[in-house]
Amino acid sequence: MDKVLFLKSFLRSPLQVASVIPSSRFLVNHIVRHINEIGPVTAAELGAGTGVLTRALVRNCPSIKSLVVFENEENLKHHLRNEFRQVPVYADAFTLSEVLQEQNTGQLDCIISALPVSWFSKEQNEQLIEMIYSCLKPGGYFIMFQFSLQMRKYLRAVFDDIIIKYVPLNFLPAFVYYCRKT
């Protein structure tokens, strides 16, 4: 079901959906392991797709008490709202700051992103990273997975503490950026 919905969404909106299939269990488990090591209480997921990672966060990350999810593609957003009724789902990841104010959440412990930033302009990427940095608590983590290393320069301009891990067992193989706000 997730794969069919994801493929249909990709075919309908290829610039909003970065891949033809959802993230692999290998990629999801890699991220979940790291999240369980840092133990965030508040988190946001940007670009949730069909909710493969969302499901793992809800089921396998007991430290997360507050999760907010963003997905811009209409069919995927509707799917997420139906499957995760306890999790607020919003459309535009660029409204993260406003959503946190609206929910009286304050800064987050962790932000995870699968946004298709390779399609974003330089200005959008800079705006996104600055917004994410401002929404993180000191010591908070930004975790982003991509299919290239193009985001290094944007992330290094803002974050001092960055580790990049390669996850080959995904379609396409992914780079996971673990960035800590110092």
Side-chain angles (χ1 to χ4, degrees):
M1 168 62 180
D2 279 356
K3 288 179 183 176
V4 172
L5 176 60
F6 207 89
L7 178 60
K8 284 181 182 178
S9 297
F10 174 80
L11 294 173
R12 222 180 352 267
S13 307
L15 296 180
Q16 288 181 318
V17 182
S19 179
V20 294
I21 61 172
S23 300
S24 73
R25 64 183 165 93
F26 301 103
L27 178 58
V28 169
N29 290 340
H30 189 276
I31 293 169
V32 166
R33 270 193 310 275
H34 185 78
I35 289 174
N36 281 329
E37 288 174 15
I38 62 175
V41 174
T42 57
E45 181 185 4
L46 314 179
T50 58
V52 172
L53 180 58
T54 312
R55 192 173 303 110
L57 295 173
V58 169
R59 291 180 183 167
N60 303 322
C61 296
S63 70
I64 297 177
K65 304 300 180 211
S66 173
L67 175 65
V68 62
V69 170
F70 291 83
E71 176 52 59
N72 203 30
E73 203 283 323
E74 197 61 39
N75 291 319
L76 294 175
K77 182 175 60 179
H78 179 71
H79 169 75
L80 291 166
R81 285 182 174 154
N82 283 336
E83 184 169 345
F84 304 103
R85 296 187 186 275
Q86 76 282 17
V87 176
V89 178
Y90 295 89
D92 187 0
F94 284 90
T95 65
L96 176 62
S97 300
E98 292 84 8
V99 168
L100 295 178
Q101 286 178 344
E102 174 187 303
Q103 292 191 345
N104 201 26
T105 302
Q107 292 176 307
L108 299 168
D109 298 306
C110 185
I111 300 171
I112 307 123
S113 175
L115 293 174
V117 296
S118 58
W119 302 119
F120 291 7
S121 69
K122 177 183 181 220
E123 293 78 21
Q124 286 174 309
N125 277 317
E126 289 171 353
Q127 177 189 1
L128 176 70
I129 300 306
E130 287 173 17
M131 177 198 65
I132 285 168
Y133 190 85
S134 71
C135 290
L136 281 175
K137 292 178 182 175
Y141 278 85
F142 174 51
I143 301 168
M144 169 183 265
F145 58 97
Q146 296 291 302
F147 307 124
S148 75
L149 293 171
Q150 86 171 55
M151 289 305 293
R152 279 187 303 192
K153 66 180 177 180
Y154 296 107
L155 296 170
R156 286 195 173 133
V158 177
F159 292 94
D160 293 324
D161 189 3
I162 301 173
I163 296 170
I164 303 170
K165 299 286 186 173
Y166 180 64
V167 180
L169 296 175
N170 189 65
F171 181 80
L172 301 163
F175 294 94
V176 183
Y177 298 85
Y178 294 100
C179 310
R180 187 170 177 265
K181 181 176 180 177
T182 54

